[in-house]
Amino acid sequence: MPPRSGQPAPQWSKKDQAYMKEYLESHPDNRMAWYLLGKQYERSGEQGKANYCFNQAGDIYKAFENEPLPQETVEEQVKEQMERERRRRTKARRLRAGLLAILFLLLLVLLPGGEAAAPDGTRLRVQRDKAPSLATPQEEASGGTFYRLVAAGDDEGYARALKRILEKERKPGGKDAVVRMEADEAWLIWSRKPEPVLLASTPTEGGPIEMLPLAEPDCRCEEERLAVSQGAAGWAVASEQRLIAKSALTAYVKQGKGAPDRWAAMAKAYPANSVSGTSAAIEQAYAEVLQVYRNGMGRGSKRKRNEKALSRMWADEADPFREPIRIVVDKKRHRLGVVSGGILLRNYEIGLGGSRTPKGKFVISEKVVNPNGSSTGAFGSRGMTLSDTLYAIHGTNEPDSIGRDESLGCIRMLPDDVEELFDMVPIGTEVSIESDVLPGELRIPEPEGRYRLDLTPKQDNPGKVYRWLD
């Protein structure tokens, strides 16, 4: 018999334990034997083995210990944890739904003529008394959906997007999608796969706007979330093309030239290669932004008309980018960023010259393919002169120098990186050389996602020997 409570149990020898295990192999249904073996394991500090034996002892363990089996205790703990998690999620869901409803109601107070229906699960319906409006070019190109970008964690930006949705004159069947991208330090990180956050839909037959929070884990909206994800990916690619087209048009006009009718007119042989080449996608994007630019022209002198047209073009709500492309060089982190306002599109690793690389602002004043007649020479396959100086952004035949201060002052890039940059930025692009301004994480597309144009012939310059400060 087992010892009575409070009495010390006799210690078994290894021989005794071996005998009991052998006995149980022949008598696996003897619950008392399982209990006794478990007690010995427990006293020797082997709790895992003890619990296994106690579970096999079943009711014998319960009778002597007056407590549930170890496995029942674990199961109960798991159930309690799951119940706590269920209550937490329910509370959080109700809180989110309540906050969402309060937010929309507050917005409606600011917007005369509106009324809201009670939330239906995670959906909220808002009635606005505004006449239907025509679709914007962006909505027509994206299947009737207007996309709005916010940074992850930017609650104020999200609230502004909601306010614009409610203020907007809507057409029956129109949709607004709020999508978000991650942020890194002060930058919003551009992605071709934005995360859907919210979908606002107006029924074809008219009626209240339905708000569907796509980012909520409990939202029963898989079909809508997938549709917005796919549409947002196409919107992101098209927005990037429009940014490049707008930037090239802006740089061209600011040089005192008239806006050309076609993109290809800017993609000529050296030295008239404001842009490096062309493609069907960029030609289409340029046609769209050129129309917006020309529609924005008012009266006055040529300079004022151009300034007004450019200002209106960059204020177009259909695009997430509100400023031309710039290049930012970070001397501390050896990074070169392609940015528009606070949005970071690319972040390349580069080689520099330490104190020999000057801080300051420059512009790309010249672009050349295969400097000094070679794609494998010291300057690689591409070069971009900075403000008619001996400083340049160019390739290198010393890839191990990337990430280091080994140049005489120029900015060295790897071949794929400098060729993509060459295609993205026009002559006239601003270059700012600073320190500690870019994130450390690289932001470079996969090879198939690189931005590429069909290169215009004769962009080399055989009549000149380049002596950049490599």
Side-chain angles (χ1 to χ4, degrees), residues 165-348:
I165 289 172
L166 292 175
E167 289 177 330
K168 174 184 174 181
E169 292 187 358
R170 310 187 62 84
K171 69 182 185 67
K175 296 179 180 180
D176 283 73
V178 179
V179 296
R180 67 184 170 202
M181 298 180 185
E182 66 175 295
D184 190 339
E185 299 180 6
W187 300 96
L188 188 150
I189 307 302
W190 182 253
S191 169
R192 291 177 182 173
K193 295 182 179 179
E195 179 188 0
V197 178
L198 177 131
L199 178 64
S201 305
T202 305
T204 305
E205 65 277 7
I209 306 168
E210 181 178 87
M211 302 289 187
L212 187 60
L214 302 173
E216 296 298 332
D218 298 325
C219 179
R220 297 179 296 275
C221 52
E222 289 76 12
E223 184 177 343
E224 293 93 337
R225 187 184 291 123
L226 177 61
V228 173
S229 296
Q230 293 173 342
W235 164 81
V237 173
S239 296
E240 192 173 304
Q241 294 280 0
R242 285 195 296 271
L243 168 65
I244 293 170
K246 281 185 178 182
S247 299
L249 176 59
T250 300
Y252 201 80
V253 170
K254 285 188 174 182
Q255 294 172 41
K257 304 173 184 177
D261 293 334
R262 295 182 64 247
W263 170 272
M266 296 185 289
K268 297 181 179 180
Y270 179 92
N273 55 335
S274 181
V275 296
S276 65
T278 188
S279 70
I282 196 63
E283 288 281 4
Q284 179 180 345
Y286 179 76
E288 293 176 9
V289 302
L290 178 64
Q291 186 62 49
V292 175
Y293 168 79
R294 287 177 171 169
N295 289 343
M297 280 197 168
R299 297 180 179 179
S301 66
K302 179 181 178 181
R303 182 179 61 82
K304 288 186 177 180
R305 285 164 43 222
N306 286 339
E307 288 177 354
K308 184 177 294 185
L310 289 175
S311 177
R312 290 182 177 178
M313 182 182 72
W314 285 107
D316 185 5
E317 191 181 4
D319 280 323
F321 301 105
R322 301 303 175 86
E323 296 181 20
I325 283 178
R326 293 186 299 118
I327 293 174
V328 177
V329 174
D330 189 327
K331 293 186 62 176
K332 178 180 178 180
R333 294 177 176 167
H334 292 84
R335 297 290 183 265
L336 183 150
V338 179
V339 309
S340 168
I343 302 176
L344 178 66
L345 290 92
R346 303 285 192 274
N347 202 26
Y348 304 108

Side-chain angles (χ1 to χ4, degrees), residues 363-427:
V363 295
I364 293 177
S365 55
E366 177 188 29
K367 297 174 63 175
V368 61
V369 172
N370 297 338
N372 295 339
S374 173
S375 63
T376 59
F379 302 139
S381 62
R382 303 286 188 275
M384 290 163 274
T385 303
L386 301 184
S387 297
D388 296 319
T389 67
L390 292 180
Y391 297 104
I393 301 171
H394 57 69
T396 181
N397 58 359
E398 298 180 41
D400 291 343
S401 68
I402 299 299
R404 300 179 182 180
D405 289 319
E406 296 185 0
S407 81
L408 297 177
C410 283
I411 300 160
R412 296 177 177 179
M413 301 184 72
L414 293 172
D416 287 343
D417 295 345
V418 74
E419 289 177 9
E420 181 179 44
L421 182 67
F422 193 87
D423 284 353
M424 290 184 73
V425 299
I427 289 177

Side-chain angles (χ1 to χ4, degrees), residues 123-153:
R123 300 169 185 254
L124 182 72
R125 292 178 172 82
V126 182
Q127 179 67 52
R128 295 292 297 129
D129 292 337
K130 284 200 173 186
S133 62
L134 298 176
T136 66
Q138 193 223 83
E139 289 172 316
E140 291 176 349
S142 57
T145 303
F146 191 99
Y147 293 92
R148 301 174 185 274
L149 176 62
V150 298

